[in-house]
Amino acid sequence: MAKLEFPQDFVWGTATASYQIEGAYQEDGRGMSIWDTFSHTPGKVVNNDNGDVACDSYHRYEEDIALLKKLGVKAYRFSIAWPRIFPQGTGEVNEKGLDYYRRVVDALIAAGIEPCATLYHWDLPQALQDKGGWANRDTIDAFVKYAEVMFNAFDGKIKQWITFNETWCVSFLSNYIGAHAPGNTDLQLAVTVAHNCMVAHGEAVKKFRALGTKGEIGTTHNLYWFEPYTTKPEDVAAAHRQRAYNNEWFMDPTFKGSYPQFMVDWFAAKGVTVPIQPGDMETISQPIDFIGVNFYSGGFGRYKKDEGLFDCEEVQIGFDKTYIGWNVYADGLYKVLSWVKDTYGDTPIYITENGACYDDVLTPEGTVHDLERAEYYKKHFIQCHRLIESGVPLKGYFAWSLLDNFEWAEGYNKRFGIVYTNYETLERFPKDSYYFIQQVIKDSGFEV
């Protein structure tokens, strides 16, 4: 057997998001978010579940940090709930909200764990949505003010900042497909939201630099590896469009300061334009210290007229699937991160999310034998090792997720955690995948 060893400075971590774990949705001055509104709307979420309580991490964060410490991670990626800081999105700072994150950050540091904070993981204050949300450029200014408060409050304590999580989800999934809050189905709106979010990212980076905030700042895009089913030109072009929808549409502006022209043309043919204002592209392409990549899946596609948005039909080629129905395509992680390096250069990369959903069963003894999830992680860790050995600047890996939690529109029906959450008692039970990752971290690698 060969041992795959990781560099000693490789950052092993795990990740969560505020609305998915915190609960306490009306406590200590927190305002309403678009996800409170969406989840309280009948029919929007499986079983009409909501995040009112979630994992109750607002009250149980010390227990969660103890699990992180036992796991042995170097870093923990969490998100800050904007409505806890500015209940109306703007105006007066809610000090009780800031105090909560001070307690979390101080407890992480005391446990020897580096806090990595995401400023926006989808819980926009409802008061801002009422004024147009991300389609209204005033929201950009509100975001930068919120970011400034956080940079000042945690300067020197939080050394790694992520502006946005998965701008594709914020824009297309939430405003064109309509599956996530606020639940719109308007392609022009989605393109506008995507653009404004990227401008807000760039403005926050500029503010970070202007303040002289210590540490690093980047953003996270969810990338998907989609390949043509054949070498036919029409199949190659269709698969490229489908892939660019997640990848180039967000990565090109971030690194090149321009949108991919073939996609601009495709949208224009549908009557959709990008509302670029003077200076926007320079703002979006502000140099960043790292790029976060969330990777879950990939697939194969071929040309089919009028199929979806891009005349592309997915072809199933026999991938194993997770419980949520996503292809297990570990080799896609190697391909997509190699593509990132080849296309955009040597900016450090962190895998800020990667994980799998399975139908877990808690035994009477309090164990969860999630062998499929452990195997999923192992397959993806192998690709991480290949990437590092191939010269791709992969610096860290955050497993999604620490806890089973509120899985957005899927409610509590889908579990991604390496720790099982009993939603009735809120007890936590580490799964076999938790212990597998714990051993990998301890040994700086594993045998294959």
Side-chain angles (χ1 to χ4, degrees):
M1 297 178 79
K3 183 179 180 185
L4 305 183
E5 293 193 44
F6 284 77
Q8 287 300 310
D9 62 353
F10 190 77
V11 177
W12 291 102
T14 184
T16 60
S18 50
Y19 188 75
Q20 293 183 269
I21 67 164
E22 286 179 0
Y25 85 110
Q26 289 183 314
E27 287 191 42
D28 293 336
R30 178 188 178 276
M32 292 287 280
S33 78
I34 58 174
W35 268 97
D36 295 301
T37 302
F38 190 78
S39 66
H40 290 165
T41 303
K44 295 296 187 182
V45 175
V46 172
N47 298 323
N48 291 318
D49 292 337
N50 59 57
D52 294 1
V53 176
C55 305
D56 195 34
S57 288
Y58 191 81
H59 300 110
R60 296 169 180 260
Y61 67 90
E62 290 173 310
E63 186 180 345
D64 297 338
I65 291 170
L67 286 164
L68 289 165
K69 186 172 183 179
K70 183 182 175 186
L71 183 60
V73 292
K74 291 182 180 178
Y76 173 54
R77 178 184 174 226
F78 63 99
S79 79
I80 294 159
W82 186 349
R84 288 203 193 279
I85 310 305
F86 288 100
Q88 300 302 309
T90 58
E92 293 296 312
V93 174
N94 176 31
E95 288 295 334
K96 287 185 177 180
L98 265 182
D99 286 343
Y100 167 67
Y101 293 108
R102 288 189 180 108
R103 295 193 296 273
V104 170
V105 168
D106 287 347
L108 286 167
I109 293 169
I113 298 165
E114 285 286 343
C116 170
T118 302
L119 288 168
Y120 188 74
H121 201 131
W122 309 353
D123 41 4
L124 183 72
Q126 181 62 42
L128 294 181
Q129 183 62 40
D130 292 342
K131 298 174 185 175
W134 286 112
N136 181 349
R137 287 183 70 111
D138 289 346
T139 302
I140 298 171
D141 299 330
F143 178 75
V144 175
K145 179 60 181 176
Y146 154 60
E148 180 179 9
V149 168
M150 303 313 298
F151 296 152
N152 285 329
F154 293 97
D155 189 18
K157 286 192 172 183
I158 297 176
K159 296 170 185 169
Q160 192 170 47
W161 295 90
I162 293 169
T163 54
F164 280 76
N165 179 76
E166 298 185 347
T167 313
W168 180 88
C169 291
V170 179
S171 53
F172 291 105
L173 186 62
S174 304
N175 288 286
Y176 169 60
I177 298 170
H180 282 187
N184 297 311
T185 53
D186 183 322
L187 183 58
Q188 178 61 70
L189 177 63
V191 169
T192 298
V193 166
H195 180 73
N196 289 349
C197 286
M198 287 194 282
V199 173
H201 150 76
E203 292 290 0
V205 173
K206 285 161 67 173
K207 180 62 70 175
F208 182 88
R209 306 286 186 219
L211 292 169
T213 311
K214 293 180 284 293
E216 297 181 333
I217 191 166
T219 191
T220 284
H221 296 313
N222 52 309
L223 304 186
Y224 188 83
W225 193 249
F226 209 72
E227 298 183 46
Y229 183 66
T230 76
T231 57
K232 295 176 184 175
E234 60 269 32
D235 288 351
V236 171
H240 192 195
R241 287 191 297 271
Q242 192 68 49
R243 188 173 75 236
Y245 182 42
N246 279 88
N247 298 8
E248 284 99 319
W249 192 256
F250 298 95
M251 293 289 281
D252 275 17
T254 301
F255 287 102
K256 297 180 176 180
S258 61
Y259 287 96
Q261 191 59 48
F262 74 98
M263 291 289 284
V264 172
D265 295 342
W266 188 265
F267 283 133
K270 297 180 181 297
V272 172
T273 58
V274 188
I276 300 170
Q277 294 189 12
D280 279 0
M281 302 315 294
E282 291 81 2
T283 295
I284 292 171
S285 58
Q286 289 293 304
I288 52 178
D289 300 307
F290 65 91
I291 183 69
V293 173
N294 293 354
F295 178 84
Y296 289 97
S297 190
F300 285 75
R302 65 185 177 188
Y303 174 77
K304 184 179 180 182
K305 185 170 176 54
D306 298 327
E307 179 72 21
L309 188 55
F310 300 107
D311 294 356
C312 185
E313 174 187 50
E314 183 166 0
V315 181
Q316 298 298 330
I317 66 163
F319 286 114
D320 291 336
K321 292 182 182 292
T322 63
Y323 185 57
I324 205 168
W326 298 348
N327 296 332
V328 178
Y329 189 19
D331 195 42
L333 177 61
Y334 180 84
K335 291 177 179 178
V336 77
L337 293 192
S338 297
W339 169 81
V340 170
K341 178 186 185 299
D342 292 345
T343 308
Y344 303 107
D346 286 322
T347 298
I349 301 169
Y350 289 87
I351 296 169
T352 39
E353 289 181 26
N354 176 240
C357 169
Y358 289 104
D359 190 15
D360 299 317
V361 177
L362 181 68
T363 70
E365 296 75 37
T367 57
V368 178
H369 301 303
D370 59 336
L371 300 180
E372 288 178 303
R373 184 178 289 105
E375 186 63 23
Y376 178 99
Y377 278 118
K378 185 175 183 179
K379 287 177 178 177
H380 287 78
F381 292 171
I382 290 169
Q383 301 304 323
C384 290
H385 187 266
R386 285 183 69 203
L387 286 158
I388 294 167
E389 292 289 302
S390 299
V392 173
L394 179 60
K395 302 300 183 184
Y397 177 102
F398 292 81
W400 184 270
S401 173
L402 173 66
L403 302 167
D404 292 336
N405 55 48
F406 177 79
E407 184 45 44
W408 306 113
E410 297 289 344
Y412 297 102
N413 190 44
K414 299 289 188 288
R415 295 177 179 270
F416 276 87
I418 57 173
V419 174
Y420 185 95
T421 304
N422 180 325
Y423 294 117
E424 294 182 4
T425 66
L426 297 173
E427 288 178 280
R428 279 86 156 126
F429 300 91
K431 305 177 187 179
D432 286 357
S433 58
Y434 173 99
Y435 295 110
F436 168 70
I437 294 173
Q438 181 188 59
Q439 195 65 45
V440 170
I441 295 171
K442 182 180 177 183
D443 295 341
S444 292
F446 57 96
E447 291 189 338
V448 291

